[in-house]
Amino acid sequence: MAVVVRMLLARILALIPLVLGVVLFVFIVMRFSPVDTAVAALGDANPTPEQLQQFRQENGLLDPLPLQYVHFVWHLLQGDFGTSVITKEPVGQVIATALPLTVQLTLLGLLIAIVAGLVLGVTSALFRDRWPDQLIRIVTLAGVAAPAFWIAVLLVQWLAVGEGLFPTSGYVSPADSFGGWLNSLALPAISLALPVAAQLTRIIRTSMVEELDKDYVRTARGGGLPPVVVVGRNVLRNALINPLTVLGLRVGYLLGGAVVIETMFALPGMGQNMIQAVKDGDTAKVQGFVITIAVGFVLVNLIVDVLYLIVNPRLRSRS
């Protein structure tokens, strides 16, 4: 346990400069973007050059960039993401409203991807080079090649417009109706999950095949252990180590894909709000959304590292 805690602390300390670097990158990109914050904020009022200059002075836009960055980080540490220059509302409040939906969509998509990847990957490995394996490999190849937005279009045409089984857009809170919530997020979550499920299936199959060919599996089978015990207790646990290392990256894919999928299904999450902020030239909102998603991605990879330590005792013993 002490080894796990020590390694966890080391990873957390390593993440601090990474997060600061992400914040710096977003800050620089937004400061050098062609969008003029003063014009975006006062453009509808036909401001004079003097009014634009006064706005920049009042909001610290004329300060040296290093000083702006220090002020920006200091406010972030206090939970202050700034104020929207368009809607005049705190960005943190907008994020707090939109983030739960994006998290729900991402987690639901991740759950679908993990379940489908496990079932298909294990089945493919157990029926290696037979027709179930060949069929699953063809399906997963198509899934890896298909982008999430294209899958979303097909699902909407087939299951929403054609069959009328799901809504084409909109969101129902789970507090109002769990069934309505699941119905409203089903197609977006499946659209996000299928490419990730296809990738996980291929990785799990490869890991399972490698484990099934090892000597300890043949020894266990020769000793009379039931195949369910051999596969479930030994092979599957060892085979999941490699897929777990790439799971964090796949969660990042889900977070990035949610930006497009939320817009397609008119879901009021981080993605739709961020795209609208880009259209409006609202730099404060764009900064807040991008940093929140980036930090979420970093935290997810930290969780994956912890899980990797738990399922891989050899790594702990070497430490």
Side-chain angles (χ1 to χ4, degrees):
M1 186 63 183
V3 175
V4 175
V5 173
R6 187 169 65 251
M7 296 186 70
L8 178 59
L9 291 176
R11 279 165 168 75
I12 292 175
L13 292 176
L15 290 180
I16 294 176
L18 176 61
V19 172
L20 291 176
V22 169
V23 172
L24 176 62
F25 176 77
V26 174
F27 174 82
I28 292 177
V29 169
M30 296 309 300
R31 287 301 180 275
F32 285 95
S33 71
V35 177
D36 190 327
T37 304
V39 174
L42 305 176
D44 293 338
N46 295 321
T48 63
E50 291 76 15
Q51 290 174 321
L52 293 175
Q53 193 71 1
Q54 181 181 357
F55 178 90
R56 298 186 184 102
Q57 184 69 40
E58 293 174 351
N59 289 272
L61 299 178
L62 299 180
D63 294 339
L65 281 180
L67 182 59
Q68 291 186 46
Y69 177 68
V70 170
H71 288 163
F72 182 59
V73 173
W74 175 248
H75 286 294
L76 283 181
L77 293 175
Q78 301 176 66
D80 181 11
F81 286 85
T83 302
S84 168
V85 297
I86 306 298
T87 61
K88 310 303 180 185
E89 56 186 335
V91 176
Q93 180 179 330
V94 179
I95 293 174
T97 302
L99 182 60
L101 191 153
T102 300
V103 172
Q104 293 168 27
L105 176 59
T106 302
L107 291 180
L108 185 57
L110 181 63
L111 177 62
I112 295 172
I114 290 176
V115 172
L118 275 174
V119 172
L120 295 177
V122 172
T123 302
S124 183
L126 294 178
F127 291 90
R128 178 175 25 170
D129 296 330
R130 285 180 276 177
W131 72 264
D133 180 31
Q134 299 295 341
L135 178 60
I136 291 173
R137 291 168 70 179
I138 293 174
V139 171
T140 55
L141 181 61
V144 170
F149 71 88
W150 184 76
I151 295 175
V153 172
L154 294 181
L155 291 177
V156 168
Q157 289 292 329
W158 176 31
L159 297 177
V161 177
E163 301 295 332
L165 300 177
F166 298 96
T168 58
S169 61
Y171 171 72
V172 178
S173 171
D176 298 332
S177 170
F178 180 78
W181 170 80
L182 194 60
N183 200 42
S184 65
L185 289 186
L187 291 187
I190 293 173
S191 303
L192 280 175
L194 288 183
V196 177
Q199 295 169 357
L200 286 178
T201 298
R202 295 169 68 87
I203 296 172
I204 291 172
R205 178 197 179 278
T206 302
S207 297
M208 284 284 295
V209 168
E210 291 177 356
E211 289 296 320
L212 288 170
D213 287 339
K214 290 185 177 179
D215 292 336
Y216 78 89
V217 176
R218 288 191 288 269
T219 302
R221 286 174 172 174
L225 287 178
V228 174
V229 175
V230 176
V231 173
R233 184 177 298 176
N234 302 111
V235 176
L236 186 58
R237 175 169 179 152
N238 293 332
L240 289 181
I241 294 177
N242 289 333
L244 190 58
T245 60
V246 300
L247 186 60
L249 297 177
R250 301 286 76 80
V251 175
Y253 170 87
L254 291 173
L255 284 170
V259 173
V260 177
I261 296 299
E262 285 177 1
T263 304
M264 294 182 64
F265 287 92
L267 299 175
M270 295 279 288
Q272 188 178 28
N273 279 276
M274 184 166 63
I275 290 178
Q276 186 61 48
V278 171
K279 292 179 180 178
D280 296 338
D282 197 335
T283 55
K285 279 188 179 180
V286 174
Q287 283 180 161
F289 292 142
V290 173
I291 289 174
T292 301
I293 293 175
V295 171
F297 176 71
V298 170
L299 293 178
V300 166
N301 278 273
L302 175 62
I303 295 173
V304 171
D305 285 343
V306 174
L307 294 177
Y308 185 70
L309 291 175
I310 294 174
V311 301
N312 191 358
R314 290 173 295 182
L315 184 62
R316 298 198 301 269
S317 64
R318 287 199 302 267
S319 302

